[in-house]
Amino acid sequence: MSYASRKDDHVRLAVAQHRESITGQRPAPFDHVAFVHHAMRGTADHAVSLATEVGGTTWSVPLYINAMTGGSARTGAVNQGLAIAARETGVAIASGSMSAYLADSSVAATYRVLRAENPEGYVIANINANTTPEMAARAVELVRADALQVHVNAIQEIVMPEGDRDFSAWPGNIARLVETLDVPVIVKEVGFGISADTVTQLAGLGVRIVDVSGNGGTNFALIENARRPGADFGQLADWGLSTPACLVDGAEAALAQGVTLLASGGVRTPLDVVRGLALGARAVGVSGHFLSILETAGVDALIATIDTWIIQIRQLMTLLGAETVRALADTDVLLTGELAETCRLRGIDPAIYARRSR
Ligand code: FNR
C-alpha cells in the first residue's frame, strides 16, 4: 500500500464517517458539558479578547485547523484549501504527518503549499514519534514551521494492516526531539485521548504542550478497520478517553507540571470550542468537521464557517462574562452523563466544576 493511496483513503473515509455521525444517535462527549446559566453575568463584546498564548506565541484566536494530510496529488489540493482558509481567517494550521515527504521528497509540494499559501500564518509541522531529530528538522524546514506536532497513535497503528508493532522507542525519541529542535514540540493523540498520567510522563520528557485529541469525533480505529481485508478489528471503536474527559483528567497534572493543554477531537460547534476552553484548553483544534465542509462545499464555505465560529466564540464569551480565554476557566460547568462517571472513577469531583465562580 503506497503512502499516496493511504492518505487518499483517510480523507475519503473521514469525510464519510463525519457525514454518518451528523445523524449519530449517542450524545456526543461535549454534550456532557453544560454551562450553568447566570442571567446577569454578561460583559460587553468589545471587552472580550480572543487572544491566547501557545508555546510563547500569542494567537489572535483560540482555534486551529488540526493535522490531516499531504503526500498525494489529491491531499495536496486539500492542504491548499485548508491553507487558504487559515490565511483568510487568521487561525493556526497543522500539516498532516510528513512521513511521506521524509521517505520521498518528490511529494514536498503537497506540504509546502501550507506555507506557500499562508506565508505569515502560524504553521505546525507533523511527524510520528519514531522520526529522528534530523528528519524532524527537515519537516520543520520544509514548511518553515512555527511548532512541531509529534503524533502518538498506537491504536491506529495496531488496527492498520501495515502499521507499527513496536512503540517502545517513543518516549526516548520524544525526549530527544524536545532537546534538539528549536521550535516548540506539541505531542498529540489522533482521537483516543491523553490521560493525566501521560501528561505527567510527557512533562518528564520535557514536553510543554499536549493536544489531548480525544475520542468523540474522527475515529481512526474504524477508518483503519475499513481498510483491513475483512474489516475484522472493529472492537476498538470505543477505545479511549473523550476530549472533555482528558481535559478534566489532565487539568491538575498540567498545572503542576507547567504543561499547556490544547483540545481536539469531536469539536463540531463554536459552543464545543468554548466548552473546551472552559475545561482548561488554551486553544481548540478541528479536523474532521472542517475537512468535511471543505470537501463537500468548498473553500469559501470553510472560510465563512470559520469566520462565523470566531464571531460566535466571542458572543458566547460575552454572555458568560469571560473577557479572556483564561477567564473561561472560572465559569461554572455541569459535567454530566458518561463524563461525570469518568470523573467519579478517576477520583475527580465534578461538583468543583459546578461552583468555580464562587
Ligand atoms: C487526521 N489526524 C491526523 N493527526 C496527526 O497527528 N497526523 C496525521 O497525519 C493525521 N491525519 C489525519 C487525516 C484525516 C483525514 C483526519 C480527519 C485526521 C487526526 C487529527 O489531527 C485529530 O487528532 C483527529 O481527527 C480528531 O479530531 P476531529 O477530526 O474529531 O476534529
Side-chain angles (χ1 to χ4, degrees):
M1 176 71 60
S2 71
Y3 272 115
S5 65
R6 169 146 63 94
K7 300 299 168 180
D8 290 354
D9 282 356
H10 285 168
V11 167
R12 180 176 52 80
L13 292 165
V15 171
Q17 192 176 73
H18 187 82
R19 303 189 80 174
E20 279 165 28
S21 74
I22 291 170
T23 55
Q25 306 297 319
R26 291 175 65 180
F30 274 106
D31 293 334
H32 292 305
V33 181
F35 287 96
V36 176
H37 179 58
H38 299 304
M40 298 204 299
R41 291 256 181 103
T43 185
D45 60 356
H46 60 76
V48 172
S49 166
L50 299 191
T52 192
E53 208 195 291
V54 178
T57 301
T58 302
W59 293 4
S60 58
V61 282
L63 178 67
Y64 57 101
I65 300 173
N66 214 353
M68 282 187 265
T69 204
S72 68
R74 171 159 184 223
T75 58
V78 171
N79 271 347
Q80 182 174 29
L82 296 172
I84 291 170
R87 179 188 72 212
E88 294 301 314
T89 59
V91 300
I93 183 169
S95 170
S97 171
M98 298 175 73
S99 302
Y101 159 68
L102 296 173
D104 171 9
S105 57
S106 74
V107 298
T110 68
Y111 299 97
R112 205 189 285 119
V113 68
L114 292 168
R115 180 52 85 192
E117 289 287 1
N118 186 20
E120 308 299 330
Y122 195 97
V123 176
I124 307 169
N126 184 292
I127 56 169
N128 68 49
N130 282 324
T131 308
T132 63
E134 296 71 31
M135 292 291 213
R138 283 185 57 209
V140 167
E141 196 188 317
L142 183 71
V143 295
R144 285 191 286 114
D146 300 286
L148 175 71
Q149 288 179 334
V150 182
H151 62 263
V152 288
N153 64 335
I155 293 150
Q156 179 184 13
E157 296 290 340
I158 286 290
V159 181
M160 207 191 297
E162 68 276 42
D164 276 354
R165 299 290 181 261
D166 181 354
F167 312 115
S168 58
W170 284 4
N173 195 52
I174 287 172
R176 267 191 300 281
L177 289 168
V178 173
E179 207 178 284
T180 317
L181 290 161
D182 51 14
V183 293
V185 170
I186 303 168
V187 172
K188 74 181 285 289
E189 242 286 353
V190 300
F192 302 96
I194 286 187
S195 65
D197 309 71
T198 306
V199 169
T200 301
Q201 185 184 5
L202 288 167
L205 301 173
V207 175
R208 290 286 165 264
I209 314 173
V210 172
D211 177 345
V212 299
S213 211
N215 73 18
T218 304
N219 185 324
F220 269 94
L222 291 176
I223 288 176
E224 297 299 351
N225 190 49
R227 299 179 55 250
R228 285 175 75 89
D232 59 347
F233 209 169
Q235 74 262 33
L236 300 185
D238 290 329
W239 193 287
L241 281 170
S242 74
T243 303
C246 293
L247 293 172
V248 173
D249 195 55
E252 198 179 305
L255 189 67
Q257 313 280 342
V259 169
T260 296
L261 291 182
L262 305 179
S264 67
V267 174
R268 311 149 298 168
T269 62
L271 177 58
D272 288 347
V273 174
V274 176
R275 286 162 159 158
L277 299 173
L279 295 183
R282 280 296 141 69
V284 175
V286 182
S287 293
H289 183 76
F290 286 169
L291 177 68
S292 179
I293 292 169
L294 178 68
E295 288 290 276
T296 56
V299 67
D300 289 342
L302 179 57
I303 293 167
T305 300
I306 297 175
D307 280 339
T308 301
W309 281 39
I310 293 170
I311 292 167
Q312 293 188 2
I313 292 166
R314 178 183 295 278
Q315 289 172 343
L316 292 167
M317 288 173 69
T318 302
L319 90 85
L320 288 163
E323 296 186 352
T324 63
V325 167
R326 277 174 189 252
L328 281 167
D330 296 325
T331 57
D332 297 330
V333 285
L334 304 174
L335 310 181
T336 60
E338 278 178 34
L339 178 58
E341 179 69 355
T342 305
C343 286
R344 191 181 65 75
L345 295 170
R346 294 285 283 171
I348 298 156
D349 182 4
I352 292 169
Y353 282 81
R355 311 157 166 232
R356 296 188 300 185
S357 71
R358 288 192 186 160

